[in-house]
Amino acid sequence: MKREILGVLIAAACTASGSAVADGYDDTGAVYISAMADYTFLDKNRISDNAAGYQLGLGYNFAPNVAAEFNVSPNSFKIPGSGASEKLNALSIDVLYKFLPVTSLVRPYALLGGGRISDDIGGHGPENSQWLVEAGGGVLVGLGDQTGSTRLQLRTEAKYRKEFISDAVFIPHDPGDVIVSVGLNLMFGAPTPPPPRAEPPPPPPPPPPPPPPPPPPPPPLDSDGDGVPDSIDQCPNTPKGDRVDAVGCTIKDEIKLERVHFATDSAELLPDSIETLEYGVATLKKYPEMVIEVRGHTDSTGSKQHNQVLSQHRAESVLRYLKEHGVTNSMTAKGYGQEMPIASNATAQGRQQNRRVTLRIVGGP
């Protein structure tokens, strides 16, 4: 019976029409809020009674005649003879399709959506949280001017909601409920009708031909011929034939990444590491044939096993950053823990130097 009622309501909504004609604009981009009182016809196998409740929604019109909305429906239903209630708290995202132009006084729509619903019997047993789907239709009726950026509408709706649940005490298998609602829609930021089109002025005379382009600027000066302009070259007079990094300094066996910092006892890169990592990205992009081992090191604080795992994760974090920023070199990551210190672990300064990540060149021309 409930499904037949729902079908009649949806059919009525879809046949309603207005007398206006579309004139080149719609409600795309508008945001709306809705507040509706509802009445729920519960599944005949539920132990609770039908009851009134309410629904609140926030929506956005993201395409002509199409909107998406988030709805909250916290309702309670008395269980006869027990003094307890069944609480159905639904959160859903629905997509609405409106069948008539925005200029129509009456706009029927259809909806389809899904979400989560918590089904709590009596407040003492476990709360059952399950998926739901719902479908239905309704009618929007304009109240007052419907051409401004703010619009008020009467909203009526009927929908069928299916809850997917099984093996729950006092709750039937996959119950379906019918909800009928009435309330208000308040829309903000709706596009307004375009102004009357004015006759275009006569075209201006053609502009004079542009002057010839200036000659290209001379290439940046590179005194030592290492491919790095003097303006950013931190190591001038590099010997001819040396491979150099992104700032013009000779690369030997290792590319050091100074000032790469991580969160405490973590492989999460801190924002102040970005400049150094970008230096590494730029250097490796100059030499894509290099084979690189990303090495992670720690100080001696903590156990050897813990430091080994931490250094491995930090090396992998740096390798992942390099790949995500376009480095195509053959690369592996390896953690060395506390086994290869470059300073004394007896001082804070020494421990800071030992906590490092380097790019070791292990192959390539």
Side-chain angles (χ1 to χ4, degrees):
M1 179 63 184
K2 287 184 287 187
R3 296 189 181 184
E4 285 125 357
I5 293 173
L6 177 62
V8 170
L9 290 170
I10 294 175
C14 295
T15 54
S17 62
S19 59
V21 178
D23 51 6
Y25 74 103
D26 55 52
D27 50 13
T28 303
V31 176
Y32 64 88
I33 56 176
S34 68
M36 295 194 290
D38 61 34
Y39 190 86
T40 302
F41 296 93
L42 294 172
D43 187 289
K44 65 180 181 179
N45 293 318
R46 289 190 186 273
I47 63 173
S48 307
D49 285 340
N50 302 336
Y54 68 95
Q55 172 180 298
L56 301 175
L58 175 65
Y60 178 70
N61 294 279
F62 63 88
N65 296 329
V66 184
E69 64 181 31
F70 174 73
N71 292 303
V72 179
S73 178
N75 291 326
S76 179
F77 304 87
K78 292 183 178 180
I79 301 173
S82 69
S85 297
E86 180 176 7
K87 298 185 183 301
L88 296 177
N89 297 317
L91 301 175
S92 64
I93 296 177
D94 297 331
V95 176
L96 281 66
Y97 182 81
K98 305 167 193 176
F99 291 101
L100 293 176
V102 67
T103 48
S104 301
L105 178 64
V106 177
R107 300 188 74 190
Y109 65 87
L111 70 84
L112 179 67
R116 298 287 288 179
I117 184 169
S118 65
D119 195 334
D120 182 16
I121 298 288
H124 301 295
E127 182 179 283
N128 300 288
S129 181
Q130 303 294 335
W131 293 105
L132 67 85
V133 295
E134 56 188 18
V139 177
L140 295 170
V141 180
L143 301 177
D145 180 25
Q146 297 296 298
T147 61
S149 62
T150 301
R151 302 171 190 172
L152 181 64
Q153 298 162 330
L154 175 68
R155 177 172 176 175
T156 61
E157 184 177 284
K159 61 186 176 183
Y160 178 75
R161 175 180 293 158
K162 185 77 169 178
E163 174 185 352
F164 295 99
I165 186 170
S166 60
D167 302 324
V169 179
F170 302 123
I171 302 174
H173 178 77
D174 295 347
D177 307 319
V178 171
I179 302 103
V180 293
S181 312
V182 62
L184 294 174
N185 252 31
L186 184 59
M187 186 181 298
F188 304 94
T192 54
R197 184 177 300 174
E199 289 297 324
L221 186 62
D222 179 13
S223 302
D224 55 10
D226 61 0
V228 178
D230 289 355
S231 58
I232 61 172
D233 197 334
Q234 297 182 11
C235 298
N237 303 318
T238 304
K240 295 293 183 182
D242 277 12
R243 291 188 298 190
V244 297
D245 61 16
V247 293
C249 297
T250 298
I251 299 173
K252 295 183 179 178
D253 298 327
E254 191 172 73
I255 302 170
K256 296 181 179 180
L257 299 180
E258 306 287 350
R259 298 182 300 280
V260 172
H261 299 140
F262 299 88
T264 302
D265 199 27
S266 167
E268 178 186 356
L269 288 163
L270 295 179
D272 62 358
S273 305
I274 299 304
E275 182 178 355
T276 300
L277 291 170
E278 287 302 314
Y279 152 78
V281 169
T283 300
L284 292 179
K285 284 184 176 180
K286 291 182 63 177
Y287 305 104
E289 73 282 357
M290 282 184 181
V291 180
I292 299 297
E293 181 180 80
V294 183
R295 294 185 169 186
H297 304 272
T298 69
D299 59 26
S300 62
T301 305
S303 70
K304 287 185 178 182
Q305 181 179 3
H306 176 78
N307 288 335
Q308 169 65 34
V309 173
L310 179 60
S311 64
Q312 179 68 34
H313 289 170
R314 288 180 171 179
E316 291 170 353
S317 183
V318 170
L319 184 146
R320 185 162 51 252
Y321 181 95
L322 297 173
K323 286 186 174 182
E324 289 174 351
H325 288 77
V327 173
T328 59
N329 299 62
S330 175
M331 294 185 292
T332 57
K334 186 173 182 180
Y336 288 86
Q338 61 193 52
E339 299 302 323
M340 299 174 66
I342 59 173
S344 172
N345 280 305
T347 66
Q349 182 178 6
R351 290 192 296 273
Q352 182 178 9
Q353 294 179 40
N354 289 332
R355 298 190 297 270
R356 68 198 188 278
V357 176
T358 61
L359 306 178
R360 188 73 176 181
I361 302 169
V362 295

